[in-house]
Amino acid sequence: MTTIAFFDFDGTITQKDTLWEIIRFHRGSMRMYLGVVKLLPALIRFKLKQLPAQEMKQRVFRYYFGEMTEEDFNAGCADFCRNRLPTIIRPQALTAIRKHQEQGHRIVVVTASAENWVSPWCASLQIGCIGTRLETRDARISGNILGINCNGTEKVNRIRQQFRLEDYQEIFAYGDSEGDKPMLALAHHAAFRPFRDK
């Protein structure tokens, strides 16, 4: 296999940020909005670049999922992948994935979202998944990120941990945000904000 394609997930394959979608799916709209109100001071600091993205993300995880059992969380994530996620997938992105598969290319989703709610969908398409990992303690979600949030240069680090890129004659990459640009820079064929209606 001499060609590999890396796809960002949120905003590239999906039409929406799946973090808030998974929160809504697990907790319901009312609990989600109440949490936004409670987290608003931190969200404002994050928007003003006074709070690092990883810390903001951990605060969100801790508020909505802290102390949930890993079994219940993963079951809900699998249910989300079956029933909610397909409704927000960009058709053009799915078409691109299928075309790569038809040509025998290796395909990997590389995402800042947690692997818990992305990898079941990837597995259903028989494609790889590299994402943010969540810490568990005593079989419960702690709300902390294990290691570093999989975004920006960390996407490249995680890719290089798993793949020897020199073995591939062609590298494709698809992304839609600043956090994807280091990954896009790895590619011979890079597409920024593809799969959108013109």
Side-chain angles (χ1 to χ4, degrees), residues 95-111:
T95 297
I97 288 170
R98 297 295 191 199
K99 285 183 177 178
H100 278 294
Q101 286 180 315
E102 288 167 6
Q103 296 174 77
H105 300 166
R106 171 168 266 170
I107 304 160
V108 184
V109 169
V110 187
T111 177

Side-chain angles (χ1 to χ4, degrees), residues 65-74 135-142:
F65 303 125
E67 296 306 308
M68 179 182 283
T69 67
E70 184 179 16
E71 182 180 4
D72 287 346
F73 182 66
N74 286 337
E135 179 190 66
T136 58
R137 294 177 187 166
D138 300 321
R140 292 182 180 273
I141 302 295
S142 72

Side-chain angles (χ1 to χ4, degrees), residues 1-195:
M1 188 178 295
T2 59
T3 300
I4 192 165
F6 299 111
F7 285 76
D8 168 57
F9 193 65
D10 293 278
T12 300
I13 291 176
T14 68
Q15 298 166 355
K16 299 179 179 181
D17 187 324
T18 56
L19 173 59
W20 295 104
E21 292 301 307
I22 194 72
I23 290 168
R24 188 195 305 271
F25 191 84
H26 268 284
R27 296 304 196 190
S29 294
M30 183 63 72
R31 175 76 188 275
M32 183 186 77
Y33 290 126
L34 287 173
V36 169
V37 172
K38 185 167 183 178
L39 292 165
L40 191 57
L43 287 166
I44 291 171
R45 288 180 60 208
F46 168 66
K47 288 295 184 183
L48 294 173
K49 301 188 186 302
Q50 296 174 354
L51 191 67
Q54 178 147 336
E55 176 56 30
M56 183 69 249
K57 208 167 191 177
Q58 289 183 144
R59 291 189 187 199
V60 170
F61 286 142
R62 283 195 291 265
Y63 179 83
Y64 290 107
F65 303 125
E67 296 306 308
M68 179 182 283
T69 67
E70 184 179 16
E71 182 180 4
D72 287 346
F73 182 66
N74 286 337
C77 289
D79 195 19
F80 172 80
C81 286
R82 285 189 299 268
N83 297 302
R84 172 62 181 146
L85 190 53
T87 69
I88 59 172
I89 296 293
R90 295 183 187 274
Q92 303 97 319
L94 198 54
T95 297
I97 288 170
R98 297 295 191 199
K99 285 183 177 178
H100 278 294
Q101 286 180 315
E102 288 167 6
Q103 296 174 77
H105 300 166
R106 171 168 266 170
I107 304 160
V108 184
V109 169
V110 187
T111 177
S113 281
E115 290 181 353
N116 308 67
W117 69 81
V118 182
S119 62
W121 181 81
C122 291
S124 73
L125 296 179
Q126 297 183 309
I127 61 179
C129 179
I130 297 173
T132 296
R133 299 176 181 132
L134 301 185
E135 179 190 66
T136 58
R137 294 177 187 166
D138 300 321
R140 292 182 180 273
I141 302 295
S142 72
N144 294 325
I145 289 170
L146 196 61
I148 300 173
N149 187 41
C150 188
N151 196 31
T153 56
E154 184 61 15
K155 287 196 173 189
V156 174
N157 294 338
R158 295 282 300 281
I159 286 168
R160 289 194 179 279
Q161 284 172 12
Q162 293 196 30
F163 300 101
R164 179 180 158 84
L165 297 181
E166 296 77 9
D167 291 342
Y168 293 91
Q169 291 180 348
E170 282 191 294
I171 300 171
F172 290 80
Y174 304 86
D176 79 310
S177 70
E178 287 296 317
D180 296 320
K181 288 186 175 179
M183 180 177 75
L184 294 174
L186 292 175
H188 304 111
H189 311 283
F192 187 67
R193 295 184 177 171
F195 317 133

